[in-house]
Amino acid sequence: MDKSKTAKELASDRVYYFIRIAVLLSVVFLFVPALNPSRICGLINKNLSLFTSGVAYSTLTADFGRAFRKGWVAKASIQILYASSLAVCLGIAANAASGCMSLGNIKFKKLGNLISLVGSIVELAGMAGIYTAYGQVAATSKPKRVEPMFPGCFWLVAAVFALILSRLLAHGRSTDNRLILAIAMLLGLSGICTALEVSPLLSCMVFGA
């Protein structure tokens, strides 16, 4: 370790190490089917990854034909799921890019922090959308056919995204700035939750994680 670094620089390096590890973990979420928070019912193939859920609508809905025709599941619900999965994928991509930029100079690190901040917000908004889609699918009139299921990894994934955001909010900012940003993010997520007809308490739970 470079002994010429100041205590502030060393603390900054530790924050970046943490964020890089969390970003790598979030990339794993993209491609491991068992960690797919978008698998909200039995009609979604268990081998489907989050990445596929967000980029291949036809694959996501491959087994929904009869459920759509019979009205067991609304197409709008799965469209919300698809759009939300895509949002999470884009947020992870943004964080991955920022992780690479954190290896550069101060200018790149600052730009990377901004990109990661936006990416984390997009990720959490996507998770709120997935939760909304689950709530709608769970209300089906044919639960035995649709098999609604709450993803066991949902809160794990949301917690990792929230941790990245919390580290970014805390890094290199005064207490007042952190408070203002945290309130702004909380209000923004609450607004998204309200627009998606989800309880704003979900955003509070995500921040609490």
Side-chain angles (χ1 to χ4, degrees):
M1 186 174 290
D2 189 354
K3 294 182 179 179
S4 66
K5 289 187 176 181
T6 65
K8 184 176 180 180
E9 288 173 332
L10 292 174
S12 178
D13 285 345
R14 286 194 290 270
V15 171
Y16 281 119
Y17 290 147
F18 172 85
I19 291 176
R20 288 167 194 154
I21 292 172
V23 168
L24 284 174
L25 182 58
S26 66
V27 172
V28 172
F29 294 152
L30 275 177
F31 303 106
V32 179
L35 297 175
N36 180 9
S38 295
R39 188 168 185 260
I40 59 174
C41 72
L43 294 178
I44 297 175
N45 193 310
K46 66 179 180 179
N47 295 318
L48 203 67
S49 67
L50 173 60
F51 178 77
T52 305
S53 299
V55 300
Y57 181 76
S58 60
T59 304
L60 177 66
T61 59
D63 295 325
F64 278 86
R66 189 180 183 193
F68 286 155
R69 291 194 301 272
K70 297 288 186 178
W72 301 341
V73 176
K75 286 187 177 181
S77 299
I78 305 305
Q79 289 169 351
I80 290 174
L81 178 65
Y82 172 68
S84 300
S85 300
L86 177 59
V88 174
C89 291
L90 292 175
I92 291 175
N95 275 336
S98 72
C100 295
M101 296 176 73
S102 71
L103 298 171
N105 57 30
I106 295 177
K107 182 177 179 180
F108 270 98
K109 287 180 178 179
K110 288 184 177 180
L111 178 58
N113 288 345
L114 178 60
I115 292 174
S116 189
L117 185 64
V118 174
S120 296
I121 295 170
V122 171
E123 287 171 341
L124 291 174
M127 294 300 287
I130 291 173
Y131 189 90
T132 300
Y134 164 74
Q136 294 178 1
V137 171
T140 179
S141 59
K142 293 288 185 179
K144 290 185 178 180
R145 297 294 185 92
V146 177
E147 300 179 34
M149 59 180 72
F150 187 78
C153 61
F154 183 91
W155 294 117
L156 170 63
V157 176
V160 170
F161 295 161
L163 282 171
I164 295 173
L165 180 59
S166 68
R167 291 301 87 197
L168 287 168
L169 290 176
H171 179 54
R173 302 180 189 278
S174 67
T175 301
D176 289 342
N177 283 342
R178 290 198 300 268
L179 180 60
I180 292 171
L181 281 172
I183 292 174
M185 297 303 100
L186 182 58
L187 290 175
L189 281 177
S190 296
I192 292 171
C193 288
T194 301
L196 293 173
E197 299 182 356
V198 179
S199 172
L201 288 175
L202 178 62
S203 60
C204 298
M205 293 168 67
V206 169
F207 265 74

